[in-house]
Amino acid sequence: MTFDSMILFGKRLLDVLLVWLVFYYILKSLRKNVKMILLFKGILFIVVLKIVSDLLDLVTIGYLLDYVIMWGPLALIIIFQPEIRNVLEQLGRSQLLGRHKVLTVDEREKMVYEIIQAVDYLKKAHIGALIVLERDNSLTEYIEKAKKIYADISSDLLISLFFPNNPMHDGGVIIQGDKITCAGAVFPTSDSMKISKRLGTRHRAALGISEETDCIALVVSEETGRISIAIGGVLNYNLTLDEFKLMLLDELRPKKAFVTTEEEEDDENENI
């Protein structure tokens, strides 16, 4: 293989990799967007129907589908403009290299211990709280508008941030890695019809931010003291403390570890 051939091969390989990367992040964003999934299914149905009409020589339906295919893209852009904008925003928030910090087993255990201690106290005292843990999707836009802290996670600090006399207790706390980054954060509320009308702003905010990003949103109800976790647009409501802990540990565990040793897995299982 000559040098020119190697350069040409490298360019083609780079071209294919870039196309694959674009489609990967688009599909990754679509996976958690219900409206865009329905849109994708509708487009697929129209394409299949067009192929069938051409094979069976169905003139009338084929004629109508030609107009749909011709003007459909423009209509979709106009009708689904908010959903398309949300997908592009999610792509912009995504961190290409994954989490800003991959926690070790000990760091995860310590973080979960401190959070559980705080949640247990808040639950018993009926103090409302919203704690959001960042994962692959960046929460920078919410951090910028909140009160910066950047402190080590501790149950005492979490409790004090949500104490009723604290001016930031109504907002949410954002955790990046093993640090409390900010407090008093404001998140978009979900307009989902599936969530009970009895649930307040905290639960809707937890569900809303979990719909837009891949974060873990932890909620303590001020009225009932019940604890919940919102992940991927699904609210796991009224969990026991043990269920809360196990779900949190499972979600924080790296899904795709580059190197996983048996010793690390055994240590983690023992801690659970």
Side-chain angles (χ1 to χ4, degrees):
M1 182 179 290
T2 63
F3 182 72
D4 291 339
S5 299
M6 292 177 63
I7 293 177
L8 182 60
F9 175 77
K11 288 181 178 179
R12 290 178 177 175
L13 180 61
L14 179 61
D15 188 25
V16 172
L17 288 175
L18 289 174
V19 171
W20 174 85
L21 189 64
V22 169
F23 275 99
Y24 169 77
Y25 278 100
I26 290 176
L27 292 175
K28 185 179 178 182
S29 299
L30 288 176
R31 183 169 56 91
K32 296 181 179 179
N33 193 313
V34 177
K35 292 181 180 179
M36 292 301 289
I37 290 175
L38 293 175
L39 173 62
F40 180 77
K41 288 181 179 179
I43 294 173
L44 186 61
F45 175 76
I46 290 174
V47 171
V48 171
L49 193 60
K50 174 61 177 172
I51 293 173
V52 172
S53 68
D54 288 344
L55 291 175
L56 300 179
D57 197 23
L58 304 176
V59 179
T60 305
I61 189 67
Y63 184 74
L64 292 175
L65 288 174
D66 285 338
Y67 273 99
V68 171
I69 294 172
M70 182 183 302
W71 297 106
L74 180 60
L76 290 175
I77 291 174
I78 296 172
I79 297 171
F80 291 94
Q81 184 267 340
E83 286 72 25
I84 295 172
R85 185 185 65 231
N86 288 337
V87 170
L88 293 176
E89 287 177 352
Q90 287 179 10
L91 290 174
R93 283 195 295 264
S94 298
Q95 299 174 356
L96 295 179
L97 298 179
R99 290 185 188 178
H100 63 286
K101 179 180 181 181
V102 177
L103 301 178
T104 64
V105 174
D106 290 339
E107 288 172 334
R108 288 200 303 272
E109 289 295 331
K110 181 180 184 303
M111 181 174 71
V112 171
Y113 173 79
E114 296 294 341
I115 291 175
I116 293 298
Q117 291 294 107
V119 167
D120 188 32
Y121 178 91
L122 296 168
K123 169 183 169 67
K124 292 175 181 176
H126 282 223
I127 298 175
L130 174 55
I131 304 171
V132 176
L133 282 65
E134 182 188 79
R135 292 203 277 186
D136 288 337
N137 295 148
S138 174
L139 299 175
T140 302
E141 66 174 287
Y142 304 105
I143 295 171
E144 289 175 349
K145 300 173 184 177
K147 183 67 175 179
K148 311 299 187 302
I149 296 178
Y150 201 74
D152 292 334
I153 295 176
S154 72
S155 57
D156 291 338
L157 178 56
L158 286 171
I159 292 169
S160 65
L161 289 172
F162 291 110
F163 202 74
N165 292 331
N166 191 311
M168 296 179 290
H169 78 281
D170 283 333
V173 164
I174 295 179
I175 294 176
Q176 290 181 310
D178 57 350
K179 302 289 184 182
I180 299 175
T181 305
C182 69
V186 178
F187 303 111
T189 55
S190 173
D191 57 359
S192 173
M193 301 300 293
K194 295 180 181 179
I195 188 170
S196 173
K197 294 181 179 179
R198 294 176 299 174
L199 299 180
T201 305
R202 281 193 182 89
H203 291 86
R204 290 191 173 276
L207 194 60
I209 190 63
S210 74
E211 289 172 345
E212 294 197 3
T213 70
D214 66 343
C215 71
I216 305 171
L218 316 176
V219 190
V220 180
S221 173
E222 185 175 350
E223 289 76 17
T224 64
R226 292 174 177 174
I227 54 178
S228 310
I229 299 180
I231 301 171
V234 177
L235 182 66
N236 302 277
Y237 182 67
N238 192 19
L239 302 172
T240 65
L241 200 62
D242 287 337
E243 290 172 339
F244 188 92
K245 178 181 178 181
L246 289 173
M247 183 174 291
L248 184 56
L249 281 169
D250 183 61
E251 290 296 329
L252 287 172
R253 186 179 294 116
K255 303 301 180 184
K256 295 181 180 179
F258 292 103
V259 178
T260 303
T261 64
E262 293 183 0
E263 182 178 353
E264 179 177 329
E265 292 180 352
D266 292 339
D267 289 343
E268 193 164 356
N269 291 331
E270 287 177 3
N271 289 328
I272 294 176

